[in-house]
Amino acid sequence: MSPIRIAIVGLGKIAHDQHLPAIAGSPEFELVAAATLAGTLADVPVFASVEAMLDADIAIDAVAMCQPPQVRFDAAVQAIRAGKHVLLEKPPGATLSEVEALTRLSEAAGATLFAAWHSRFAPAVHDARAWLTERRINHVEITWKEDVRRWHPGQQWIWEPGGLGVFDPGINALSIATRILPRHFYLHDGTLDFPANRAAPIAAELNMIGMSGAPVHAVFDWRQTGPQTWDIVVDTDDGTLALTHGGSRLAINGVVRESAPEAEYAALYHHFAALIAKGESDVDRTPLRLVADAFLRCRRRDTDPFDD
Amino acid sequence: MSPIRIAIVGLGKIAHDQHLPAIAGSPEFELVAAATLAGTLADVPVFASVEAMLDADIAIDAVAMCQPPQVRFDAAVQAIRAGKHVLLEKPPGATLSEVEALTRLSEAAGATLFAAWHSRFAPAVHDARAWLTERRINHVEITWKEDVRRWHPGQQWIWEPGGLGVFDPGINALSIATRILPRHFYLHDGTLDFPANRAAPIAAELNMIGMSGAPVHAVFDWRQTGPQTWDIVVDTDDGTLALTHGGSRLAINGVVRESAPEAEYAALYHHFAALIAKGESDVDRTPLRLVADAFLRCRRRDTDPFDD
């Protein structure tokens, strides 16, 4: 089968760090074009707008949307209306109602829509889910602490409304938790810490609860220097599961079962190719819904100004 | 058929103003008990907790949840697990994930769950929806301005996280708009005005967009003294529809087509009885999703302190 001809929109940090290498390393895809506000690529034409790219005389099957969520929707609509399969970087939209609109459009167009939660493709997530399926959950502790200056240098959109702030990494934790925990959990309450000079939170604490009554407690913080922490620990009637290092390492009762190098985007693009081949979509809004719940329900606290 | 034996939880303002009169006036329901933190009723036993009420030797078929949304969930879970049909006052929960949890529980229990959007039962909503079905929408203007001191005297919960602030009435407008407009619309951006001494907004402006590109603009304000404004005006290719007075009056191109006294809760309880008879549920989360989107996406502004 000939490779899927794919274009990228938004040549920012995540495109260069992850999408371009994953596409280059995949026999299932061939990069044929890009659209971006600034930047060029060595081997393919780069356009100043999605519209110009779709109007050009280039055969494109699919488009990966890698721009900030606040400006992604209009580009996604254009691509879907042009009959392209669309991959959405996380979060899949700036609002839940936008994602609903894209879902309806892609269904009407008969195109594949993939809301890509990259952390779900971390190497140990699959086995963590399998192990938890049969267990009774007593308590879940999610700790997601990283240094925003290191991972999002100069990205001002992330501090603007719709940019999610610390939920930009935190939603990765939620995407894993909603994947590996066997039962639904809901947000009860919590707190969000907003720097005095920012429109998005720099830290959050969420009190969630599973359908069996088990606490699902999450702490997100963007002010962590030194070692970074991306851990989910699940206490069960049958021992403790620790999924750490962002989902790449799994230990049961302290014994490491799995530890593999990170290769999320290779697996993610393989899944996108499989969806296209099957004519299916994969749009799970659950992680974004929990984040919207947090903004809706949590108490807001003001904290020190933060500059990067 | 003998009437449905119903209990009320939360004897606050909305229970006294609307639920008790609607139940008393309906041949389909018979009030048999209540649970509340404070207050008594003349003719039925009143319990201090939902648990005590459900444990008592009283046959109860259905429970109407009329307490503030922040404390409704646990009571609803108990009632559903006891096999009761449940009516939820609006908003149906403090978070979307809570409503999802209740939906799953009620499905498992085989009980009716009714997320009651009372404004959808305003007398002119049905005909407004029918008239708009075939029309092309150019622009929608929603204006919902009322005096919080008049409608929510001393209700501190409404200013707390999860109490929604001005979205407590605003969600009524959204419940009507999502009912009468023929196509999906999504939230693009907006602003929320928070009094310096409050954890919930006192005013909001929402820029929403329909799937055809039509602007759906909403302004909510809780500081309106004098005449109150609850209007939705829809400009179409075939003239202008004005649904005013909270959905009780309909005019097309300035000619009044319908104007009836408000009787929302009588119609609402009739719908609840019909759902129970058919063994169905009715849980539309769209209005609450738009509110969560607003908290997630809109820019927050600080405004003057407000005391009631």
Coordinates of all heavy atoms in Angstrom, one line a residue, chain B residues 195-283:
Chain B
P195 N -16.9 39.7 40.6 CA -16.7 40.7 41.7 C -15.5 40.3 42.6 O -15.2 39.1 42.8 CB -18.0 40.6 42.5 CG -19.0 40.0 41.6 CD -18.2 39.0 40.7
A196 N -14.8 41.3 43.1 CA -13.5 41.1 43.8 C -13.7 40.2 45.0 O -12.8 39.4 45.4 CB -12.9 42.4 44.2
N197 N -15.0 40.2 45.6 CA -15.2 39.4 46.8 C -16.0 38.1 46.6 O -16.6 37.6 47.5 CB -16.0 40.3 47.8 CG -17.4 40.8 47.2 OD1 -17.5 40.9 46.0 ND2 -18.3 41.1 48.1
R198 N -16.1 37.7 45.3 CA -16.9 36.5 45.0 C -16.2 35.5 44.1 O -15.3 35.9 43.3 CB -18.2 37.0 44.2 CG -19.1 37.9 44.9 CD -19.8 37.3 46.1 NE -20.8 38.1 46.6 CZ -21.6 37.7 47.6 NH1 -21.5 36.5 48.2 NH2 -22.6 38.6 48.1
A199 N -16.5 34.2 44.2 CA -15.9 33.1 43.5 C -16.7 32.7 42.3 O -16.4 31.7 41.7 CB -15.7 31.9 44.4
A200 N -17.7 33.5 41.9 CA -18.5 33.2 40.7 C -18.7 34.5 39.9 O -18.8 35.6 40.5 CB -19.8 32.5 41.1
P201 N -19.0 34.4 38.6 CA -19.1 35.6 37.8 C -20.5 36.3 38.0 O -21.5 35.6 38.2 CB -19.0 35.2 36.4 CG -19.3 33.7 36.4 CD -18.9 33.2 37.8
I202 N -20.5 37.6 37.9 CA -21.7 38.4 38.0 C -22.2 38.8 36.7 O -23.4 39.2 36.5 CB -21.6 39.6 38.9 CG1 -22.9 40.2 39.4 CG2 -20.7 40.7 38.3 CD1 -22.8 41.2 40.5
A203 N -21.4 38.7 35.7 CA -21.7 39.0 34.3 C -20.8 38.2 33.3 O -19.7 37.8 33.7 CB -21.6 40.5 34.0
A204 N -21.3 38.1 32.1 CA -20.6 37.3 31.1 C -21.0 37.7 29.7 O -22.1 38.1 29.5 CB -20.9 35.8 31.3
E205 N -20.0 37.7 28.8 CA -20.3 37.9 27.4 C -19.7 36.7 26.6 O -18.5 36.4 26.8 CB -19.7 39.2 26.9 CG -20.0 39.4 25.4 CD -19.5 40.7 24.9 OE1 -18.9 41.5 25.6 OE2 -19.8 41.0 23.7
L206 N -20.5 36.0 25.9 CA -20.1 34.8 25.2 C -20.2 35.0 23.7 O -21.2 35.3 23.1 CB -20.9 33.6 25.6 CG -21.1 33.3 27.0 CD1 -21.9 32.0 27.2 CD2 -19.7 33.1 27.7
N207 N -19.1 34.7 23.0 CA -19.1 34.7 21.5 C -19.1 33.2 21.0 O -18.1 32.5 21.1 CB -17.8 35.4 21.0 CG -17.7 36.8 21.4 OD1 -18.7 37.6 21.2 ND2 -16.6 37.2 22.0
M208 N -20.3 32.8 20.6 CA -20.5 31.5 20.1 C -20.7 31.6 18.6 O -21.0 32.6 18.1 CB -21.7 30.8 20.9 CG -21.4 30.8 22.4 SD -22.8 30.2 23.4 CE -23.9 31.6 23.3
I209 N -20.6 30.4 18.0 CA -20.7 30.4 16.5 C -21.5 29.1 16.1 O -21.2 28.0 16.6 CB -19.3 30.4 15.8 CG1 -18.5 31.6 16.3 CG2 -19.5 30.5 14.3 CD1 -17.1 31.6 15.8
G210 N -22.5 29.3 15.2 CA -23.2 28.1 14.7 C -22.4 27.4 13.6 O -21.5 28.0 13.0
M211 N -22.8 26.2 13.3 CA -22.1 25.4 12.3 C -22.1 26.1 10.9 O -21.3 25.8 10.1 CB -22.7 24.0 12.2 CG -22.6 23.2 13.5 SD -20.9 22.8 13.9 CE -20.5 21.5 12.8
S212 N -23.1 26.9 10.7 CA -23.1 27.6 9.4 C -22.3 28.9 9.4 O -22.3 29.6 8.4 CB -24.6 28.0 9.1 OG -25.1 28.8 10.1
G213 N -21.7 29.2 10.6 CA -20.9 30.4 10.7 C -21.7 31.6 11.3 O -21.1 32.6 11.5
A214 N -22.9 31.4 11.6 CA -23.7 32.5 12.2 C -23.3 32.8 13.6 O -23.1 31.9 14.4 CB -25.2 32.1 12.2
P215 N -23.1 34.1 14.0 CA -22.7 34.4 15.3 C -23.9 34.1 16.3 O -25.1 34.4 16.0 CB -22.5 35.9 15.3 CG -22.3 36.3 13.8 CD -23.1 35.2 13.1
V216 N -23.6 33.6 17.4 CA -24.6 33.4 18.5 C -24.0 34.1 19.7 O -23.1 33.6 20.4 CB -24.8 31.9 18.8 CG1 -25.8 31.8 20.0 CG2 -25.3 31.1 17.6
H217 N -24.5 35.3 19.9 CA -23.9 36.2 20.9 C -24.7 36.3 22.2 O -26.0 36.5 22.1 CB -23.7 37.6 20.3 CG -23.1 38.7 21.2 ND1 -23.8 39.7 21.7 CD2 -21.8 38.7 21.7 CE1 -23.0 40.4 22.4 NE2 -21.8 39.9 22.5
A218 N -24.1 36.2 23.3 CA -24.9 36.2 24.6 C -24.3 37.2 25.6 O -23.1 37.2 25.7 CB -25.0 34.8 25.2
V219 N -25.2 37.9 26.2 CA -24.8 38.8 27.3 C -25.7 38.5 28.5 O -26.9 38.5 28.5 CB -25.0 40.3 26.9 CG1 -24.7 41.2 28.1 CG2 -24.1 40.6 25.7
F220 N -25.0 38.1 29.6 CA -25.7 37.8 30.9 C -25.2 38.8 31.9 O -24.1 39.2 32.0 CB -25.3 36.4 31.4 CG -25.5 35.3 30.5 CD1 -24.7 34.1 30.5 CD2 -26.6 35.3 29.6 CE1 -24.9 33.1 29.6 CE2 -26.8 34.2 28.7 CZ -25.9 33.1 28.7
D221 N -26.2 39.3 32.7 CA -25.8 40.3 33.7 C -26.8 40.2 34.9 O -28.0 40.1 34.7 CB -25.8 41.7 33.2 CG -25.0 42.7 34.0 OD1 -25.1 42.6 35.3 OD2 -24.2 43.4 33.4
W222 N -26.3 40.2 36.1 CA -27.0 40.0 37.3 C -27.3 41.3 38.1 O -27.8 41.3 39.2 CB -26.3 39.0 38.3 CG -27.0 37.8 38.5 CD1 -28.3 37.4 38.2 CD2 -26.5 36.7 39.3 NE1 -28.6 36.2 38.7 CE2 -27.5 35.7 39.3 CE3 -25.3 36.4 40.0 CZ2 -27.4 34.5 40.0 CZ3 -25.2 35.2 40.6 CH2 -26.2 34.2 40.6
R223 N -26.9 42.4 37.4 CA -27.0 43.7 38.1 C -28.2 44.5 37.6 O -28.2 45.8 37.8 CB -25.7 44.4 38.0 CG -24.5 43.7 38.7 CD -23.2 44.2 38.2 NE -23.0 44.0 36.8 CZ -21.8 44.1 36.2 NH1 -20.7 44.4 36.9 NH2 -21.7 43.9 34.9
Q224 N -29.1 43.9 36.9 CA -30.2 44.7 36.2 C -31.3 44.9 37.2 O -32.1 44.0 37.6 CB -30.7 43.9 35.0 CG -32.0 44.5 34.4 CD -31.8 44.8 33.0 OE1 -30.7 45.2 32.6 NE2 -32.8 44.7 32.2
T225 N -31.5 46.2 37.6 CA -32.7 46.5 38.4 C -33.8 47.0 37.4 O -33.6 47.1 36.2 CB -32.3 47.6 39.4 OG1 -31.8 48.7 38.7 CG2 -31.4 47.1 40.4
G226 N -35.0 47.2 38.0 CA -36.1 47.6 37.1 C -36.6 46.4 36.3 O -36.5 45.3 36.7
P227 N -37.1 46.7 35.1 CA -37.6 45.6 34.2 C -36.5 44.6 34.0 O -35.3 44.9 33.8 CB -38.0 46.3 32.9 CG -38.2 47.7 33.3 CD -37.2 48.0 34.4
Q228 N -36.9 43.3 34.0 CA -35.9 42.2 33.7 C -36.0 41.8 32.3 O -37.0 41.9 31.6 CB -36.3 41.0 34.6 CG -36.5 41.4 36.1 CD -35.2 41.7 36.9 OE1 -34.5 40.7 37.2 NE2 -34.9 42.9 37.1
T229 N -34.8 41.3 31.8 CA -34.7 41.0 30.3 C -34.3 39.5 30.2 O -33.2 39.1 30.6 CB -33.7 41.9 29.6 OG1 -33.9 43.3 30.0 CG2 -33.7 41.7 28.1
W230 N -35.2 38.8 29.5 CA -34.9 37.4 29.2 C -35.3 37.1 27.7 O -36.3 36.6 27.5 CB -35.6 36.4 30.1 CG -35.3 36.6 31.6 CD1 -34.1 36.4 32.2 CD2 -36.3 36.9 32.6 NE1 -34.3 36.6 33.5 CE2 -35.6 37.0 33.8 CE3 -37.6 37.3 32.6 CZ2 -36.2 37.3 35.1 CZ3 -38.2 37.6 33.8 CH2 -37.5 37.6 35.0
D231 N -34.4 37.6 26.8 CA -34.8 37.6 25.4 C -33.8 36.8 24.5 O -32.6 36.9 24.7 CB -34.8 39.0 24.9 CG -35.9 39.9 25.6 OD1 -36.7 39.4 26.3 OD2 -35.8 41.1 25.4
I232 N -34.3 36.2 23.5 CA -33.5 35.6 22.5 C -34.1 36.0 21.1 O -35.3 35.8 20.8 CB -33.5 34.0 22.5 CG1 -33.0 33.5 23.9 CG2 -32.7 33.4 21.4 CD1 -33.0 32.0 24.1
V233 N -33.3 36.7 20.4 CA -33.7 37.2 19.1 C -32.9 36.6 18.0 O -31.7 36.5 18.0 CB -33.5 38.8 19.0 CG1 -33.9 39.3 17.6 CG2 -34.4 39.4 20.1
V234 N -33.6 36.0 17.0 CA -33.0 35.2 15.9 C -33.3 35.8 14.6 O -34.4 35.9 14.2 CB -33.4 33.7 16.0 CG1 -32.6 32.9 14.9 CG2 -33.3 33.1 17.3
D235 N -32.2 36.3 14.0 CA -32.4 36.9 12.6 C -32.2 35.8 11.6 O -31.2 35.1 11.6 CB -31.4 38.0 12.4 CG -31.5 38.7 11.0 OD1 -32.6 39.0 10.6 OD2 -30.5 38.7 10.3
T236 N -33.2 35.6 10.7 CA -33.1 34.6 9.7 C -33.3 35.2 8.3 O -33.7 36.4 8.2 CB -34.2 33.5 9.9 OG1 -35.5 34.0 9.4 CG2 -34.3 33.1 11.4
D237 N -33.1 34.4 7.3 CA -33.4 34.8 5.9 C -34.9 35.1 5.7 O -35.2 35.7 4.7 CB -32.9 33.7 4.9 CG -31.4 33.9 4.6 OD1 -30.8 34.8 5.2 OD2 -30.9 33.0 3.8
D238 N -35.7 34.6 6.6 CA -37.1 34.7 6.4 C -37.8 35.6 7.5 O -38.9 35.4 7.8 CB -37.7 33.3 6.4 CG -39.1 33.2 5.9 OD1 -39.5 34.1 5.1 OD2 -39.9 32.3 6.4
G239 N -37.0 36.5 8.1 CA -37.5 37.4 9.1 C -36.9 37.1 10.5 O -36.1 36.3 10.6
T240 N -37.4 37.9 11.4 CA -36.8 37.9 12.8 C -37.8 37.3 13.8 O -38.9 37.7 13.9 CB -36.5 39.3 13.2 OG1 -35.5 39.9 12.3 CG2 -35.9 39.4 14.6
L241 N -37.2 36.3 14.5 CA -38.0 35.7 15.6 C -37.5 36.3 16.9 O -36.3 36.4 17.2 CB -37.8 34.2 15.6 CG -38.4 33.4 16.7 CD1 -38.8 32.0 16.2 CD2 -37.4 33.2 17.9
A242 N -38.5 36.7 17.8 CA -38.2 37.2 19.1 C -38.9 36.3 20.1 O -40.1 36.4 20.2 CB -38.6 38.7 19.2
L243 N -38.1 35.6 20.9 CA -38.6 34.8 22.0 C -38.3 35.5 23.3 O -37.1 35.6 23.7 CB -38.0 33.4 22.0 CG -38.5 32.4 23.0 CD1 -40.0 32.1 22.8 CD2 -37.7 31.1 22.9
T244 N -39.3 36.2 23.9 CA -39.0 37.1 25.0 C -39.7 36.6 26.3 O -40.3 35.6 26.3 CB -39.4 38.5 24.7 OG1 -40.8 38.5 24.4 CG2 -38.7 39.0 23.4
H245 N -39.5 37.4 27.4 CA -40.1 37.1 28.6 C -39.8 35.7 29.1 O -40.7 35.0 29.6 CB -41.7 37.3 28.6 CG -42.0 38.7 28.2 ND1 -41.9 39.2 26.9 CD2 -42.5 39.8 28.9 CE1 -42.3 40.5 26.8 NE2 -42.6 40.9 28.1
G246 N -38.5 35.3 28.9 CA -38.1 34.0 29.4 C -38.7 32.8 28.6 O -38.7 31.7 29.1
G247 N -39.2 33.1 27.4 CA -39.7 32.0 26.6 C -41.2 31.9 26.6 O -41.8 31.0 26.0
S248 N -41.9 32.9 27.2 CA -43.3 32.8 27.3 C -44.0 33.6 26.2 O -45.2 33.5 26.0 CB -43.8 33.2 28.7 OG -43.5 34.6 28.9
R249 N -43.2 34.4 25.4 CA -43.8 35.2 24.4 C -43.0 35.1 23.1 O -41.8 35.2 23.1 CB -43.8 36.7 24.8 CG -44.5 37.6 23.8 CD -44.7 38.9 24.6 NE -44.9 40.0 23.6 CZ -45.5 41.1 23.9 NH1 -46.0 41.3 25.2 NH2 -45.7 42.1 23.0
L250 N -43.7 34.8 22.0 CA -43.1 34.7 20.7 C -43.6 35.7 19.7 O -44.9 35.8 19.5 CB -43.4 33.2 20.2 CG -42.9 32.9 18.7 CD1 -41.4 32.9 18.6 CD2 -43.5 31.5 18.3
A251 N -42.7 36.4 19.0 CA -43.2 37.3 18.0 C -42.3 37.0 16.7 O -41.1 36.7 16.8 CB -43.0 38.8 18.4
I252 N -43.0 37.1 15.5 CA -42.3 37.0 14.3 C -42.4 38.3 13.5 O -43.5 38.8 13.3 CB -42.9 35.9 13.4 CG1 -43.0 34.6 14.2 CG2 -42.1 35.7 12.1 CD1 -41.7 33.9 14.5
N253 N -41.3 39.0 13.2 CA -41.3 40.3 12.6 C -42.2 41.3 13.3 O -42.9 42.0 12.7 CB -41.8 40.1 11.1 CG -40.8 39.3 10.3 OD1 -39.6 39.5 10.5 ND2 -41.3 38.5 9.4
G254 N -42.1 41.2 14.6 CA -42.8 42.2 15.5 C -44.3 41.8 15.7 O -44.9 42.5 16.5
V255 N -44.8 40.8 15.1 CA -46.2 40.4 15.4 C -46.2 39.2 16.4 O -45.6 38.2 16.2 CB -46.8 39.9 14.0 CG1 -48.3 39.5 14.3 CG2 -46.8 41.0 13.0
V256 N -46.9 39.5 17.5 CA -47.0 38.5 18.5 C -47.8 37.3 18.1 O -48.9 37.4 17.7 CB -47.6 39.1 19.8 CG1 -47.7 38.0 20.9 CG2 -46.7 40.2 20.4
R257 N -47.2 36.1 18.1 CA -47.8 34.9 17.7 C -48.4 34.1 18.9 O -49.3 33.4 18.9 CB -46.8 33.9 17.0 CG -46.3 34.4 15.7 CD -47.3 34.2 14.6 NE -46.6 34.5 13.3 CZ -46.1 33.5 12.5 NH1 -46.2 32.2 12.9 NH2 -45.6 33.8 11.4
E258 N -47.7 34.3 20.1 CA -48.1 33.5 21.3 C -47.6 34.3 22.5 O -46.6 34.9 22.5 CB -47.3 32.2 21.2 CG -47.8 31.2 22.2 CD -47.3 29.8 21.9 OE1 -46.7 29.6 20.9 OE2 -47.5 28.9 22.7
S259 N -48.5 34.3 23.5 CA -48.1 34.9 24.8 C -49.0 34.3 25.8 O -50.2 34.5 25.9 CB -48.4 36.5 24.7 OG -48.0 37.1 25.9
A260 N -48.4 33.5 26.7 CA -49.1 32.7 27.6 C -48.5 32.9 29.0 O -47.3 33.1 29.1 CB -49.1 31.2 27.2
P261 N -49.3 32.7 30.0 CA -48.7 32.8 31.4 C -47.7 31.6 31.6 O -47.9 30.5 31.1 CB -49.9 32.7 32.3 CG -51.0 32.0 31.5 CD -50.7 32.4 30.1
E262 N -46.7 31.9 32.4 CA -45.7 30.9 32.7 C -46.3 29.7 33.5 O -47.0 29.9 34.4 CB -44.6 31.6 33.6 CG -43.4 30.8 33.8 CD -43.5 29.9 35.0 OE1 -43.8 30.3 36.1 OE2 -43.2 28.7 34.8
A263 N -45.9 28.5 33.0 CA -46.4 27.3 33.6 C -45.4 26.2 33.4 O -45.7 25.0 33.1 CB -47.8 26.9 33.1
E264 N -44.1 26.6 33.6 CA -43.0 25.7 33.2 C -43.0 24.4 34.0 O -42.9 23.3 33.4 CB -41.7 26.3 33.4 CG -41.5 27.5 32.5 CD -40.2 28.3 32.8 OE1 -39.4 27.9 33.6 OE2 -40.0 29.4 32.2
Y265 N -43.2 24.5 35.3 CA -43.0 23.3 36.2 C -44.2 22.3 36.0 O -44.0 21.1 36.2 CB -42.8 23.7 37.6 CG -41.3 24.1 37.8 CD1 -40.9 25.4 37.4 CD2 -40.4 23.3 38.4 CE1 -39.6 25.8 37.5 CE2 -39.1 23.6 38.5 CZ -38.7 24.9 38.1 OH -37.4 25.2 38.2
A266 N -45.4 22.8 35.7 CA -46.5 21.8 35.4 C -46.1 20.9 34.2 O -46.2 19.7 34.3 CB -47.8 22.6 35.2
A267 N -45.6 21.6 33.2 CA -45.2 20.8 32.0 C -44.0 19.9 32.2 O -43.9 18.8 31.8 CB -44.9 21.8 30.8
L268 N -43.1 20.4 33.1 CA -41.9 19.7 33.4 C -42.3 18.4 34.2 O -41.8 17.3 33.8 CB -41.0 20.6 34.3 CG -39.6 20.2 34.7 CD1 -38.8 21.5 35.0 CD2 -39.7 19.4 36.0
Y269 N -43.2 18.5 35.1 CA -43.6 17.3 35.9 C -44.4 16.3 35.0 O -44.3 15.1 35.2 CB -44.3 17.7 37.2 CG -43.3 17.8 38.3 CD1 -42.8 19.1 38.6 CD2 -42.9 16.7 39.0 CE1 -41.8 19.2 39.7 CE2 -41.9 16.9 40.1 CZ -41.4 18.1 40.4 OH -40.5 18.3 41.4
H270 N -45.1 16.9 34.1 CA -45.9 16.0 33.2 C -44.9 15.2 32.3 O -45.1 14.0 32.1 CB -46.8 16.8 32.3 CG -47.6 16.0 31.4 ND1 -48.5 15.1 31.8 CD2 -47.6 16.0 30.0 CE1 -49.1 14.5 30.7 NE2 -48.6 15.0 29.6
H271 N -43.8 15.9 31.9 CA -42.8 15.2 31.1 C -42.1 14.1 32.0 O -41.8 13.0 31.5 CB -41.8 16.2 30.6 CG -40.7 15.6 29.7 ND1 -40.9 15.0 28.5 CD2 -39.3 15.6 29.9 CE1 -39.8 14.6 28.0 NE2 -38.8 14.9 28.8
F272 N -41.8 14.4 33.2 CA -41.2 13.4 34.1 C -42.1 12.2 34.3 O -41.6 11.0 34.2 CB -40.9 14.1 35.5 CG -40.1 13.3 36.5 CD1 -39.1 12.4 36.1 CD2 -40.4 13.3 37.8 CE1 -38.4 11.7 37.0 CE2 -39.7 12.6 38.8 CZ -38.7 11.8 38.3
A273 N -43.4 12.4 34.4 CA -44.3 11.3 34.5 C -44.3 10.4 33.3 O -44.3 9.2 33.3 CB -45.7 11.8 34.8
A274 N -44.2 11.1 32.1 CA -44.2 10.4 30.8 C -42.9 9.5 30.7 O -42.9 8.4 30.2 CB -44.3 11.3 29.7
L275 N -41.8 10.1 31.1 CA -40.5 9.4 31.1 C -40.6 8.1 31.9 O -40.1 7.0 31.5 CB -39.3 10.3 31.6 CG -38.9 11.4 30.6 CD1 -37.9 12.3 31.4 CD2 -38.3 10.9 29.3
I276 N -41.1 8.3 33.1 CA -41.2 7.1 34.0 C -42.1 6.1 33.4 O -41.8 4.9 33.4 CB -41.7 7.6 35.4 CG1 -40.7 8.5 36.1 CG2 -42.1 6.4 36.3 CD1 -41.2 9.1 37.4
A277 N -43.2 6.5 32.8 CA -44.2 5.5 32.2 C -43.5 4.7 31.1 O -43.8 3.6 30.9 CB -45.4 6.3 31.7
K278 N -42.7 5.4 30.3 CA -42.0 4.8 29.2 C -40.7 4.1 29.6 O -40.1 3.4 28.7 CB -41.7 5.9 28.1 CG -42.9 6.4 27.4 CD -42.6 7.4 26.3 CE -42.1 8.7 26.8 NZ -41.9 9.7 25.8
G279 N -40.3 4.2 30.8 CA -39.0 3.7 31.2 C -37.8 4.3 30.6 O -36.8 3.7 30.3
E280 N -37.9 5.6 30.3 CA -36.8 6.3 29.6 C -36.2 7.4 30.5 O -36.7 7.7 31.6 CB -37.4 7.0 28.4 CG -37.9 6.1 27.3 CD -38.5 6.8 26.1 OE1 -38.5 8.0 26.1 OE2 -38.9 6.1 25.2
S281 N -35.0 7.8 30.1 CA -34.3 8.9 30.7 C -34.2 10.1 29.8 O -34.3 9.9 28.6 CB -32.9 8.5 31.3 OG -33.1 7.7 32.4
D282 N -33.9 11.3 30.3 CA -33.7 12.5 29.5 C -32.6 13.3 30.2 O -32.9 14.0 31.1 CB -35.0 13.3 29.4 CG -34.9 14.5 28.6 OD1 -33.8 14.9 28.2 OD2 -36.0 15.2 28.4
V283 N -31.4 13.2 29.7 CA -30.3 13.8 30.3 C -29.5 14.5 29.2 O -28.5 14.0 28.7 CB -29.4 12.8 31.1 CG1 -28.3 13.6 31.9 CG2 -30.2 12.0 32.0

